[in-house]
């Protein structure tokens, strides 16, 4: 199993009932990650695993029930990667 799959499965679990995978949702999930609610992986590992998932040719949603399509999930993970890699001055806050 790919190293990134476990972490992305946690992320996808958090958004399975979200109507839209937009920047606001990326900020919400980024806050969960920053708060340690999706595991205790070091920040660099989280970013690396998201980047690996995005580089992978395998479907990210494979094996996870997900109402969002592959393209939408990849766009969301890119926004999430930007969110968790940014500093506090660039991070959006959920409403």
């Amino acid at each position: 199993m790919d190293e990134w799959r476990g972490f992305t499965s946690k992320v996808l679990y958090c958004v399975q009932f979200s109507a839209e995978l937009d920047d606001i949702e990326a900020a919400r999930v980024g806050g969960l990650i920053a708060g340690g609610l999706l595991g205790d992986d070091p920040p660099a590992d989280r970013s690396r695993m998201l980047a690996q998932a995005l580089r992978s040719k395998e479907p990210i949603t494979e094996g996870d029930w997900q109402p969002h399509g592959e393209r939408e999930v990849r766009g969301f993970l890119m926004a999430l990667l930007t969110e968790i890699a940014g500093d506090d001055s660039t991070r959006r806050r959920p409403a």
Side-chain angles (χ1 to χ4, degrees), residues 77-88:
L77 292 182
M78 179 61 74
L80 181 59
L81 180 59
T82 300
E83 177 70 26
I84 67 173
D87 61 36
D88 283 337

Side-chain angles (χ1 to χ4, degrees), residues 5-19:
R5 194 160 299 278
F7 183 67
T8 57
S9 289
K10 292 176 190 178
V11 169
L12 293 178
Y13 181 80
C14 292
V15 300
Q16 63 183 331
F17 299 112
S18 301

